[in-house]
Amino acid sequence: MKKQIWTALSVILFAGSAWAQAMGSLAVNGAGGENQGFRKVKAVRCDATKRGSCDNPVFFELNKPTAVPAGLYIVGFENSINPDLVEVRQGSTTTLQLERIDIPANMQGKKVRVYRDMAKLVEQKKIYMTMFYMKRHLFFLDKDNFGDLYLAGAWDRDFVQRFTYEACDNFEDRDDKPASVVRAENICNAWKNARSPMDLRSLFNFNVVEKQKDGSFDQIWVSTPSDSLVMRHPPYLVAVPLKDSTFVSVFPGAYRINVEGKDANGKTIKNVSIEVGNYSKSGSTLGFSLNVDGLFTNLGEGDCASARTWETESRAYCTSDDQEGCNRSAASSCTPM
């Protein structure tokens, strides 16, 4: 009898807790492009005070306010990600607006790819943000194809999601560590000691984008306590490769339109880089060029007016004043010539 009473009481308490949970609404407005087949919003609520403390994702339709628990959310649509955490407050609706990218007329009718431009600082910030709060990437991505759910086989969708740093919890404190373990341990220290999204910048190399112009980037990953790898992320498409399509919808950020072909006059069509929406460039978490062999070296102190490389609060590795966030007058440390 006592057990039955306790069971009934537990059910009532659990139900009461669920009913009492502060609820709000989240809406994302816009229209999915013709070749954006998934057309659902993906939102993950995270506790910003505790890394890795995030709920299971929720999916919902565009243009329909959806009841969700109040809190801070990472929000994505078709492999694009909102630049900042989104706050949902109790009893109110938070509304986000997608941006439309129109395919230029001279590219229409060709096989067009629209992907996130990882050479731009706003997209780098999104990588840091999701990895810091979720301890994993937001979307699935197939290594040999493109973007979330696009052209990926059922067994191929773990390429990005497996890049966690769970192996960092398995290190043993030994005095006779081989060099491979020391290197992996240094990487794990950078992961564990991060206090903000930007602190993860040493784990990524976005400079590869400038060299290849294909949207790819590198991530240093520890798969076991003795094995560290540099993994190449393929381009992040925001739609299946387009043909006879006129636009895609994305969250504010930086994107590149890529097409191979010639226009009506026989001229080679050049790639187009475009930034859409309002976001704070000064608040972006910026990327840097990674020297894998010299990982975690301090830039040191010196005369930054003639420095070969320098660091600012917004960018970890600068070689030119022309780079965004690299004004020498704001240098915090540098390596003299």
Side-chain angles (χ1 to χ4, degrees):
M1 181 65 177
K2 288 182 179 180
K3 183 177 181 180
Q4 291 175 332
I5 294 173
W6 173 247
T7 301
L9 209 62
S10 298
V11 171
I12 293 172
L13 289 172
F14 177 80
S17 174
W19 292 334
Q21 187 173 32
M23 299 294 289
S25 293
L26 179 61
V28 177
N29 293 339
E34 300 98 314
N35 285 51
Q36 292 183 290
F38 194 44
R39 298 197 187 187
K40 287 185 181 292
V41 179
K42 182 175 185 178
V44 177
R45 186 177 70 156
C46 294
D47 182 351
T49 66
K50 185 179 179 182
R51 288 180 63 191
S53 181
C54 297
D55 296 343
N56 290 328
V58 294
F59 297 87
F60 53 90
E61 305 288 340
L62 291 174
N63 308 306
K64 294 181 179 179
T66 302
V68 294
L72 295 173
Y73 284 80
I74 295 173
V75 185
F77 176 76
E78 302 281 336
N79 216 11
S80 69
I81 299 174
N82 193 67
D84 297 300
L85 292 173
V86 177
E87 183 179 7
V88 175
R89 297 182 179 180
Q90 181 180 4
S92 64
T93 298
T94 299
T95 302
L96 303 176
Q97 180 65 50
L98 292 177
E99 301 290 336
R100 175 169 163 147
I101 297 178
D102 292 305
I103 308 301
N106 66 335
M107 290 185 172
Q108 294 179 15
K110 308 291 184 180
K111 192 171 183 180
V112 179
R113 291 185 173 91
V114 183
Y115 55 83
R116 291 165 58 185
D117 191 347
M118 294 301 179
K120 301 298 183 180
L121 307 176
V122 62
E123 294 303 318
Q124 296 168 14
K125 172 188 173 182
K126 296 175 184 180
I127 296 294
Y128 300 143
M129 177 180 68
T130 54
M131 284 299 295
F132 182 81
Y133 291 112
M134 293 182 61
K135 288 192 172 182
R136 64 177 65 245
H137 294 280
L138 178 62
F139 289 106
F140 295 93
L141 188 70
D142 172 33
K143 183 176 188 295
D144 298 314
N145 290 301
F146 308 89
D148 183 42
L149 301 182
Y150 293 129
L151 309 182
W155 301 104
D156 297 328
R157 294 177 183 168
D158 64 348
F159 174 73
V160 170
Q161 288 287 303
R162 65 194 175 102
F163 290 159
T164 68
Y165 292 83
E166 295 173 356
C168 292
D169 297 328
N170 299 324
F171 279 93
E172 296 180 5
D173 191 11
R174 295 168 42 192
D175 293 331
D176 57 339
K177 299 173 186 174
S180 61
V181 173
V182 172
R183 173 177 166 75
E185 195 170 40
N186 287 339
I187 295 170
C188 285
N189 286 337
W191 170 256
K192 292 179 177 179
N193 295 333
R195 294 295 177 265
S196 70
M198 187 175 177
D199 291 339
L200 298 180
R201 64 189 185 275
S202 59
L203 302 177
F204 296 90
N205 174 20
F206 294 101
N207 191 51
V208 67
V209 180
E210 291 297 328
K211 297 175 182 177
Q212 298 197 3
K213 301 291 186 184
D214 67 352
S216 60
F217 63 95
D218 289 345
Q219 178 178 357
I220 298 182
W221 178 49
V222 177
S223 58
T224 69
S226 61
D227 193 7
S228 57
L229 306 168
V230 177
M231 303 299 294
R232 176 68 47 83
H233 287 250
Y236 280 24
L237 282 187
V238 296
V240 296
L242 310 176
K243 195 170 184 180
D244 302 325
S245 186
T246 58
F247 76 97
V248 296
S249 291
V250 293
F251 278 111
Y255 302 89
R256 185 175 289 275
I257 305 174
N258 184 312
V259 64
E260 294 181 5
K262 297 180 182 298
D263 62 19
N265 298 318
K267 295 183 178 179
T268 301
I269 301 173
K270 296 182 179 180
N271 296 338
V272 176
S273 181
I274 183 171
E275 297 186 47
V276 294
N278 295 318
Y279 58 87
S280 172
K281 289 186 178 181
S282 62
S284 295
T285 304
L286 312 181
F288 77 124
S289 176
L290 175 67
N291 181 341
V292 175
D293 295 328
L295 187 63
F296 308 126
T297 58
N298 193 316
L299 289 177
E301 302 296 336
D303 180 10
C304 294
S306 59
R308 175 168 47 87
T309 61
W310 63 94
E311 180 179 13
T312 67
E313 288 187 3
S314 56
R315 196 172 186 123
Y317 185 91
C318 295
T319 58
S320 169
D321 276 309
D322 294 333
Q323 293 172 309
E324 191 173 346
C326 280
N327 193 320
R328 285 176 185 263
S329 63
S332 56
S333 61
C334 56
T335 300
M337 293 294 287

